Amino acid sequence: MNPSRFFRQAAVIGCAVLLMAGCTDRKQLKEDWVQAAAKQEQIQSYQFSGEAEFQLDASLFKDAQPLTAAMLSAFRTGKLTYQGKASSKEPLVQAEADFKLVPQGSDKGIEMPVLLKDNKMYVHLPIINKTDEYVMLPLEQQAERLKQTGRLSSAASARLLQELEPDWLEPGAKDEKLPGGEAAKRITLQLTDKNQKQVSAYLLKALPTALDEWMTSGLLGEAQTKNWKDRLASAHMLAPSTFVIWIDEAGYIRQQQGELRFSLQEGGPVHTVRWTHRIDGINQPPSFTKEIPQLTKPLGDILKLLPKPAAAK
């Protein structure tokens, strides 16, 4: 074969492949995501903020503890906003945050300040606490586990990304910016009518492993983990759903945004969650402002007020 002809044909074929692929290296998008998820483990202090909107059917909470079910059901069609700061670096192992829940159709919200300090967590729950009174939970072994949240997040993300198909990913524009104006790379995982079955199966296979990670680190109890695994066994992720990340020039995931539609059983009620989560001030010394509350009530006192679970038959 004439060499020049061969190279011309190869060039034509190469151009055709690039056109069909949209000139996008999706394998590189996946690798960028994997590397950024691993880099999150290096974060020891940061500021965070975000919001989430819920459209949840009441059936989602039918097996929850009475207090949990009452609180969640009250905001199943509401909006959550939050902001705070955290440090897992000795000697400043501490976190504080302010959460605000606003039911749909209301102009008033319930504010819930939270403080983690000296191996204890303090949270003000307006539904059960008096003004300036906080529920106090001794963290004990969980205090050490909470220091590992960076590793936990990386491990859980690695599990989720391990079998992700690069063809499900889409790149952002070349001039993507974070809210603060910094340049960033955007990567989108999109669940569509065409890939719904495959992406749903992938997520529902990966999530139980992530739940195990959360249980090991103490963020979920064994009973909670089993309950969610049982529910996921018959769940379905539904199109359209999206999950988007923004990676800054230092390689950290600085913003996540998503819209997830799901049903816990085929043909069952559809639940929708939309959220945005941002982090800033990575590894900069945080300026904490919250003090340990003077008026506290042990969690045990709250639990005594709850109905006892029905005896197994």
Side-chain angles (χ1 to χ4, degrees):
M1 175 184 287
N2 186 315
S4 62
R5 183 181 178 188
F6 169 79
F7 285 118
R8 285 198 302 270
Q9 290 177 342
V12 171
I13 294 173
C15 288
V17 171
L18 286 174
L19 287 172
M20 286 188 293
C23 299
T24 298
D25 186 348
R26 288 177 170 79
K27 289 184 179 180
Q28 185 60 51
L29 291 179
K30 176 180 177 179
E31 182 60 27
D32 291 343
W33 196 338
V34 170
Q35 290 181 2
K39 192 175 177 67
Q40 302 303 97
E41 188 174 346
Q42 300 176 17
I43 298 176
Q44 293 186 306
S45 59
Y46 58 98
Q47 300 173 28
F48 59 91
S49 61
E51 56 274 336
E53 294 185 42
F54 309 96
Q55 295 288 334
L56 308 174
D57 188 82
S59 61
L60 189 64
F61 316 118
K62 65 178 182 180
D63 296 324
Q65 292 290 335
L67 178 61
T68 303
M71 292 183 63
L72 294 178
S73 294
F75 299 96
R76 63 187 179 87
T77 57
K79 182 176 182 178
L80 167 71
T81 58
Y82 60 89
Q83 61 180 0
K85 55 198 74 171
S87 173
S88 59
K89 185 178 181 180
E90 299 287 359
L92 273 178
V93 180
Q94 188 172 332
E96 62 182 40
D98 291 293
F99 295 86
K100 185 175 182 179
L101 289 163
V102 181
Q104 188 175 41
S106 173
D107 57 356
K108 296 182 179 180
I110 295 180
E111 298 182 358
M112 298 188 300
V114 178
L115 171 65
L116 278 74
K117 188 174 183 179
D118 298 335
N119 292 345
K120 297 181 179 66
M121 181 169 76
Y122 305 89
V123 55
H124 177 71
L125 301 174
I127 295 177
I128 57 177
N129 285 128
K130 302 175 183 177
T131 303
D132 297 329
E133 180 185 67
Y134 284 68
V135 176
M136 188 276 288
L137 297 81
L139 297 177
E140 300 176 349
Q141 294 180 351
Q142 271 87 357
E144 184 62 33
R145 291 170 177 172
L146 286 171
K147 299 176 189 177
Q148 306 302 320
T149 51
R151 182 206 63 79
L152 168 66
S153 176
S154 296
S157 296
R159 299 286 188 183
L160 288 169
L161 295 169
Q162 190 173 14
E163 297 182 20
L164 183 146
E165 288 291 338
D167 288 343
W168 300 337
L169 301 178
E170 293 293 339
K174 291 183 178 181
D175 57 349
E176 291 285 341
K177 301 287 185 181
L178 292 166
E182 309 98 311
K185 174 181 288 188
R186 175 165 58 92
I187 304 175
T188 300
L189 169 62
Q190 193 158 16
L191 190 153
T192 66
D193 290 331
K194 291 182 178 180
N195 66 16
Q196 175 176 300
K197 184 176 180 180
Q198 293 86 350
V199 176
S200 179
Y202 155 74
L203 290 173
L204 293 172
K205 179 182 177 182
L207 283 173
T209 306
L211 289 172
D212 286 336
E213 291 282 350
W214 295 332
M215 182 180 69
T216 300
S217 75
L219 298 182
L220 275 182
E222 185 175 353
Q224 291 173 301
T225 302
K226 183 180 183 304
N227 180 45
W228 276 107
K229 282 186 175 181
D230 290 344
R231 291 187 170 204
L232 288 173
S234 58
H236 298 268
M237 304 296 177
L238 305 173
S241 293
T242 57
F243 185 79
V244 191
I245 64 166
W246 283 261
I247 304 172
D248 69 10
E249 293 182 314
Y252 292 107
I253 298 174
R254 291 278 304 281
Q255 181 168 283
Q256 302 175 21
Q257 191 174 78
E259 177 175 350
L260 179 63
R261 302 176 69 249
F262 65 98
S263 175
L264 294 181
Q265 60 186 28
E266 188 170 1
V270 176
H271 313 280
T272 303
V273 180
R274 302 178 186 89
W275 75 93
T276 300
H277 178 73
R278 296 170 290 270
I279 63 172
D280 294 290
I282 293 175
N283 292 334
Q284 297 177 11
S287 176
F288 293 109
T289 58
K290 293 187 183 298
E291 299 290 339
I292 295 177
Q294 295 184 354
L295 184 60
T296 64
K297 177 175 290 188
L299 178 62
D301 290 357
I302 303 298
L303 297 178
K304 290 177 184 178
L305 303 176
L306 299 179
K308 294 183 179 179
K313 296 183 180 180

